[in-house]
Amino acid sequence: MRNVDRLPFIMAGILFLLAWLLGFPMRAQSAPLEDVRCTLIADAASGKTLYQDGICDQRFSPASTFKVPLSLIGYDAGILTDEHTPAWDYKREFNAVKRDQKTVDPTIWERDSVIWFSREITRRLGAEKFAGYVSKFDYGNSDVSGNRGKDDGLTRSWVNSSLKITPVEQVAFLRRLLAGTMPVSAKAHEMTRAIIPAFKAGDWAVQGKTGSTRLGVGGKDKRSLGWFVGWARKDGRQIVFARLAVDTKRTDMPKGLATRAAFLKDLPHLIK
């Protein structure tokens, strides 16, 4: 081998030795995290799987789909009253995006996915009651501890933090909500079902909630997720569903909205 050919190897060896002597961290390049996709549809009454595609047993942050169980909690605890009560005014300390700087009631909260309203519910509930409800619900891993060392579980645990759930668990939870068998009042079931946003997918009347968030501490994961979970009715038939998309792809809208749009387009072709 000519000397000129050896030069890159010699330089690499010198740099490695210097890094070792100076104590610089030398980490192997981690493999990129894989994309995850799931579409799961089940009969609401029997639980029979009607359609399944992708990885549906891996837990991820519920993001704003957590507003569905949080609605049950809010109504059962008496913090929420009906579709439009309470109506809370925006406060500067909420530090919300401009779109959410407005008066919000339960219907607007679910429709526009207003996170400061969620945090006001949990703050008024308190950490002990909040954790108790999530545990009773057997919701995902039921971990509302929040980010390690930050004591923020009461306001952040469901958004790219400690609380995680699979699509399979989302569907199981939704079946219990529709059946009225969650450990909350009948009114809480009724009001929650009333305020979940409604859509059309062909002949299907759909109600569902989106969720979007970036994954990983400080964005290290590089992926974002989009959820759309809910139920649909057609000709006396009722189904429950969960769709999840986790990848590094950029979309023109929040990933939850893009996931919802794709599912509403697909549903009439998936279940006849």
Side-chain angles (χ1 to χ4, degrees):
M1 182 182 292
R2 293 179 300 170
N3 288 339
V4 67
D5 295 329
R6 294 193 187 98
L7 187 59
F9 298 97
I10 294 170
M11 292 301 297
I14 291 171
L15 291 172
F16 181 89
L17 181 60
L18 284 172
W20 180 77
L21 289 171
L22 294 172
F24 293 159
M26 293 175 290
R27 296 172 182 159
Q29 185 75 19
S30 59
L33 293 163
E34 294 182 357
D35 294 351
V36 175
R37 301 210 179 283
C38 167
T39 300
L40 179 60
I41 303 173
D43 182 84
S46 69
K48 178 183 178 182
T49 298
L50 303 175
Y51 180 89
Q52 182 170 346
D53 181 60
I55 301 170
C56 298
D57 59 355
Q58 189 171 339
R59 281 176 171 160
F60 289 94
S61 168
S64 283
T65 67
F66 186 66
K67 289 182 174 66
V68 182
L70 189 53
S71 173
L72 284 172
I73 294 170
Y75 282 114
D76 190 66
I79 297 170
L80 308 180
T81 305
D82 57 34
E83 293 98 327
H84 302 294
T85 311
W88 292 331
D89 294 330
Y90 175 76
K91 298 178 182 178
R92 186 176 298 177
E93 58 262 33
F94 295 159
N95 195 29
V97 297
K98 187 174 182 180
R99 178 187 72 108
D100 294 341
Q101 296 177 13
K102 59 189 177 186
T103 300
V104 176
D105 65 20
T107 299
I108 295 171
W109 166 53
E110 293 283 3
R111 184 195 70 197
D112 295 348
S113 218
V114 180
I115 193 167
W116 69 254
F117 195 95
S118 300
R119 290 170 174 164
E120 279 297 283
I121 294 173
T122 57
R123 185 182 65 78
R124 292 163 194 247
L125 191 69
E128 185 176 349
K129 286 185 177 180
F130 177 51
Y133 269 112
V134 177
S135 178
K136 284 194 303 181
F137 285 5
D138 194 26
Y139 185 84
N141 64 357
S142 299
D143 183 354
V144 293
S145 60
N147 294 298
R148 186 175 297 177
K150 293 192 175 181
D151 192 28
D152 60 1
L154 188 61
T155 57
R156 296 183 180 273
S157 56
W158 61 91
V159 182
N160 188 28
S161 186
S162 58
L163 187 62
K164 300 182 189 302
I165 191 168
T166 69
V168 171
E169 291 168 331
Q170 291 266 29
V171 164
F173 163 76
L174 291 166
R175 287 188 61 229
R176 293 167 65 201
L177 166 60
L178 292 181
T181 59
M182 296 296 294
V184 293
S185 66
K187 177 183 177 180
H189 285 91
E190 178 186 352
M191 295 309 308
T192 295
R193 293 191 293 260
I195 66 172
I196 300 302
F199 309 92
K200 291 290 290 183
D203 293 332
W204 289 96
V206 180
Q207 285 184 265
K209 187 72 195 74
T210 58
S212 307
T213 190
R214 295 288 299 275
L215 296 177
V217 178
K220 289 181 180 178
D221 189 319
K222 305 298 185 185
R223 298 179 299 173
S224 58
L225 69 75
W227 283 105
F228 185 51
V229 306
W231 56 89
R233 292 183 176 88
K234 184 179 79 167
D235 300 332
R237 185 183 187 190
Q238 189 170 45
I239 60 172
V240 290
F241 63 83
R243 173 167 283 190
L244 172 67
V246 180
D247 57 42
T248 59
K249 296 176 183 176
R250 298 285 182 134
T251 57
D252 294 334
M253 61 181 76
K255 189 155 287 182
L257 299 185
T259 302
R260 181 183 73 195
F263 180 80
L264 293 175
K265 180 179 178 181
D266 293 344
L267 178 59
H269 308 291
L270 300 178
I271 305 294
K272 300 297 184 181

